[in-house]
């Protein structure tokens, strides 16, 4: 059974940095994507970054150059390094995964079957 357990997050001032981690277990697919999503009340859950088994990545425009998604296959960990954070980055963040995809684009949240519990990221101005 696929499980994702997330850690990290918290509160930071504008311009600060945070790192999210996601421990992944139970993946048996040869091809898969892992992604980070965020959600604010009243808005649709938004895909922020995606990485596939080959290490290819993709980001939404608003985080390019500031966020970095990475994975450590040996420890089965997914990371999101967030630098130069802005108040608009404030959201609940989730990691997600599913098999049979590539990171050529960030698929919508409905496509992903497995999710973490989420952690809050709050950026104050």
């Amino acid at each position: 059974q696929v499980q994702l357990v997330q850690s990290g997050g918290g509160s930071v001032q504008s311009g600060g940095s945070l790192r999210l981690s996601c421990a992944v277990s139970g993946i048996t697919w040869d091809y898969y994507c892992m992604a980070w999503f965020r959600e604010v009340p009243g808005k649709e859950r938004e895909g922020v970054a995606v990485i596939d088994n080959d290490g290819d990545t993709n980001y939404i425009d608003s985080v390019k150059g500031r966020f970095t998604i990475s994975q450590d296959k040996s420890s089965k960990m997914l990371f999101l390094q967030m630098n130069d954070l802005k108040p608009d980055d404030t959201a609940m963040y989730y990691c997600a995964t599913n098999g049979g995809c590539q990171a050529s684009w960030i698929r919508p949240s409905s496509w992903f079957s497995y999710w973490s519990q989420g952690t809050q990221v709050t950026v104050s101005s």
Side-chain angles (χ1 to χ4, degrees):
Q1 183 176 353
V2 178
Q3 290 188 325
L4 296 90
V5 179
Q6 188 176 336
S7 59
S11 297
V12 67
Q13 289 191 326
S14 183
S17 298
L18 286 172
R19 189 193 200 201
L20 303 180
S21 301
C22 186
V24 185
S25 61
I27 288 181
T28 59
W29 315 300
D30 291 332
Y31 299 96
Y32 61 83
C33 286
M34 290 193 287
W36 289 98
F37 282 78
R38 63 188 181 188
E39 186 173 16
V40 297
K43 291 189 177 181
E44 194 171 329
R45 191 170 291 190
E46 174 186 49
V48 173
V50 64
I51 188 168
D52 62 26
N53 55 286
D54 289 331
D56 293 326
T57 60
N58 215 328
Y59 300 88
I60 55 171
D61 287 345
S62 62
V63 307
K64 284 181 181 177
R66 301 189 297 121
F67 289 13
T68 302
I69 187 172
S70 62
Q71 62 180 335
D72 184 333
K73 291 185 178 181
S74 61
S75 62
K76 298 181 181 179
M77 295 291 295
L78 175 71
F79 304 101
L80 184 68
Q81 178 66 42
M82 303 183 291
N83 298 328
D84 189 23
L85 281 160
K86 306 177 185 302
D88 283 349
D89 296 317
T90 296
M92 183 73 78
Y93 282 72
Y94 301 87
C95 57
T97 190
N98 209 347
C101 75
Q102 294 178 315
S104 53
W105 60 296
I106 304 175
R107 296 171 185 264
S109 60
S110 58
W111 190 86
F112 289 86
S113 298
Y114 304 97
W115 292 85
S116 65
Q117 79 280 18
T119 55
Q120 179 67 35
V121 170
T122 301
V123 184
S124 57
S125 57

